[in-house]
PDB file of all heavy atoms in Angstrom:
ATOM      1  N   LEU X  17     119.847 119.815 114.509  1.00 96.00           N
ATOM      2  CA  LEU X  17     121.050 119.883 115.342  1.00 96.00           C
ATOM      3  C   LEU X  17     122.305 119.548 114.544  1.00 96.00           C
ATOM      4  O   LEU X  17     123.344 120.217 114.675  1.00 96.00           O
ATOM      5  CB  LEU X  17     120.920 118.930 116.530  1.00 96.00           C
ATOM      6  CG  LEU X  17     119.887 119.315 117.590  1.00 96.00           C
ATOM      7  CD1 LEU X  17     119.658 118.152 118.542  1.00 96.00           C
ATOM      8  CD2 LEU X  17     120.337 120.564 118.356  1.00 96.00           C
ATOM      9  N   TYR X  18     122.206 118.511 113.699  1.00 94.00           N
ATOM     10  CA  TYR X  18     123.394 118.116 112.942  1.00 94.00           C
ATOM     11  C   TYR X  18     123.750 119.174 111.905  1.00 94.00           C
ATOM     12  O   TYR X  18     124.925 119.445 111.657  1.00 94.00           O
ATOM     13  CB  TYR X  18     123.175 116.758 112.289  1.00 94.00           C
ATOM     14  CG  TYR X  18     124.458 116.137 111.792  1.00 94.00           C
ATOM     15  CD1 TYR X  18     125.574 116.046 112.627  1.00 94.00           C
ATOM     16  CD2 TYR X  18     124.579 115.663 110.498  1.00 94.00           C
ATOM     17  CE1 TYR X  18     126.751 115.491 112.186  1.00 94.00           C
ATOM     18  CE2 TYR X  18     125.754 115.098 110.044  1.00 94.00           C
ATOM     19  CZ  TYR X  18     126.842 115.013 110.891  1.00 94.00           C
ATOM     20  OH  TYR X  18     128.024 114.470 110.449  1.00 94.00           O
ATOM     21  N   THR X  19     122.744 119.815 111.324  1.00 96.00           N
ATOM     22  CA  THR X  19     123.003 120.933 110.400  1.00 96.00           C
ATOM     23  C   THR X  19     123.745 122.047 111.114  1.00 96.00           C
ATOM     24  O   THR X  19     124.739 122.594 110.608  1.00 96.00           O
ATOM     25  CB  THR X  19     121.680 121.465 109.827  1.00 96.00           C
ATOM     26  OG1 THR X  19     121.015 120.426 109.120  1.00 96.00           O
ATOM     27  CG2 THR X  19     121.932 122.629 108.880  1.00 96.00           C
ATOM     28  N   ALA X  20     123.256 122.393 112.290  1.00 96.00           N
ATOM     29  CA  ALA X  20     123.892 123.469 113.052  1.00 96.00           C
ATOM     30  C   ALA X  20     125.348 123.136 113.361  1.00 96.00           C
ATOM     31  O   ALA X  20     126.246 123.969 113.201  1.00 96.00           O
ATOM     32  CB  ALA X  20     123.114 123.709 114.345  1.00 96.00           C
ATOM     33  N   ALA X  21     125.609 121.901 113.810  1.00 95.00           N
ATOM     34  CA  ALA X  21     126.978 121.506 114.151  1.00 95.00           C
ATOM     35  C   ALA X  21     127.888 121.547 112.919  1.00 95.00           C
ATOM     36  O   ALA X  21     129.023 122.048 112.983  1.00 95.00           O
ATOM     37  CB  ALA X  21     126.966 120.104 114.759  1.00 95.00           C
ATOM     38  N   LEU X  22     127.408 121.045 111.795  1.00 94.00           N
ATOM     39  CA  LEU X  22     128.234 121.024 110.582  1.00 94.00           C
ATOM     40  C   LEU X  22     128.549 122.433 110.101  1.00 94.00           C
ATOM     41  O   LEU X  22     129.694 122.738 109.712  1.00 94.00           O
ATOM     42  CB  LEU X  22     127.519 120.247 109.474  1.00 94.00           C
ATOM     43  CG  LEU X  22     127.411 118.724 109.645  1.00 94.00           C
ATOM     44  CD1 LEU X  22     126.541 118.129 108.553  1.00 94.00           C
ATOM     45  CD2 LEU X  22     128.802 118.085 109.607  1.00 94.00           C
ATOM     46  N   LEU X  23     127.547 123.324 110.102  1.00 95.00           N
ATOM     47  CA  LEU X  23     127.776 124.682 109.612  1.00 95.00           C
ATOM     48  C   LEU X  23     128.754 125.433 110.511  1.00 95.00           C
ATOM     49  O   LEU X  23     129.611 126.193 110.033  1.00 95.00           O
ATOM     50  CB  LEU X  23     126.449 125.433 109.516  1.00 95.00           C
ATOM     51  CG  LEU X  23     125.453 124.910 108.469  1.00 95.00           C
ATOM     52  CD1 LEU X  23     124.195 125.768 108.444  1.00 95.00           C
ATOM     53  CD2 LEU X  23     126.093 124.867 107.088  1.00 95.00           C
ATOM     54  N   LYS X  24     128.642 125.206 111.796  1.00 95.00           N
ATOM     55  CA  LYS X  24     129.568 125.874 112.720  1.00 95.00           C
ATOM     56  C   LYS X  24     130.969 125.293 112.589  1.00 95.00           C
ATOM     57  O   LYS X  24     131.969 126.033 112.640  1.00 95.00           O
ATOM     58  CB  LYS X  24     129.057 125.705 114.154  1.00 95.00           C
ATOM     59  CG  LYS X  24     129.826 126.518 115.197  1.00 95.00           C
ATOM     60  CD  LYS X  24     129.610 128.013 115.020  1.00 95.00           C
ATOM     61  CE  LYS X  24     130.238 128.804 116.161  1.00 95.00           C
ATOM     62  NZ  LYS X  24     130.108 130.250 115.961  1.00 95.00           N
ATOM     63  N   ARG X  25     131.052 123.988 112.392  1.00 93.00           N
ATOM     64  CA  ARG X  25     132.371 123.358 112.254  1.00 93.00           C
ATOM     65  C   ARG X  25     133.066 123.814 110.970  1.00 93.00           C
ATOM     66  O   ARG X  25     134.272 124.057 110.959  1.00 93.00           O
ATOM     67  CB  ARG X  25     132.224 121.838 112.257  1.00 93.00           C
ATOM     68  CG  ARG X  25     133.555 121.094 112.169  1.00 93.00           C
ATOM     69  CD  ARG X  25     133.369 119.611 112.457  1.00 93.00           C
ATOM     70  NE  ARG X  25     134.660 118.933 112.422  1.00 93.00           N
ATOM     71  CZ  ARG X  25     135.178 118.336 111.352  1.00 93.00           C
ATOM     72  NH1 ARG X  25     134.496 118.330 110.223  1.00 93.00           N
ATOM     73  NH2 ARG X  25     136.368 117.746 111.399  1.00 93.00           N
ATOM     74  N   LEU X  26     132.307 123.963 109.886  1.00 92.00           N
ATOM     75  CA  LEU X  26     132.900 124.386 108.618  1.00 92.00           C
ATOM     76  C   LEU X  26     133.358 125.838 108.662  1.00 92.00           C
ATOM     77  O   LEU X  26     134.332 126.209 107.993  1.00 92.00           O
ATOM     78  CB  LEU X  26     131.890 124.197 107.483  1.00 92.00           C
ATOM     79  CG  LEU X  26     131.671 122.754 107.018  1.00 92.00           C
ATOM     80  CD1 LEU X  26     130.464 122.658 106.095  1.00 92.00           C
ATOM     81  CD2 LEU X  26     132.925 122.224 106.316  1.00 92.00           C
ATOM     82  N   ASP X  27     132.657 126.658 109.431  1.00 93.00           N
ATOM     83  CA  ASP X  27     133.037 128.070 109.543  1.00 93.00           C
ATOM     84  C   ASP X  27     132.772 128.533 110.970  1.00 93.00           C
ATOM     85  O   ASP X  27     131.670 128.953 111.308  1.00 93.00           O
ATOM     86  CB  ASP X  27     132.238 128.917 108.547  1.00 93.00           C
ATOM     87  CG  ASP X  27     132.683 130.374 108.551  1.00 93.00           C
ATOM     88  OD1 ASP X  27     133.550 130.741 109.375  1.00 93.00           O
ATOM     89  OD2 ASP X  27     132.170 131.149 107.718  1.00 93.00           O
ATOM     90  N   PRO X  28     133.781 128.436 111.850  1.00 94.00           N
ATOM     91  CA  PRO X  28     133.584 128.818 113.251  1.00 94.00           C
ATOM     92  C   PRO X  28     133.121 130.256 113.431  1.00 94.00           C
ATOM     93  O   PRO X  28     132.555 130.602 114.481  1.00 94.00           O
ATOM     94  CB  PRO X  28     134.973 128.605 113.869  1.00 94.00           C
ATOM     95  CG  PRO X  28     135.627 127.588 112.977  1.00 94.00           C
ATOM     96  CD  PRO X  28     135.130 127.894 111.598  1.00 94.00           C
ATOM     97  N   ALA X  29     133.331 131.115 112.409  1.00 93.00           N
ATOM     98  CA  ALA X  29     132.900 132.508 112.532  1.00 93.00           C
ATOM     99  C   ALA X  29     131.400 132.675 112.350  1.00 93.00           C
ATOM    100  O   ALA X  29     130.850 133.731 112.664  1.00 93.00           O
ATOM    101  CB  ALA X  29     133.643 133.368 111.500  1.00 93.00           C
TER     102      ALA X  29
END
Side-chain angles (χ1 to χ4, degrees):
L17 291 168
Y18 194 50
T19 300
L22 289 173
L23 294 182
K24 188 68 173 177
R25 182 169 182 267
L26 285 169
D27 185 356

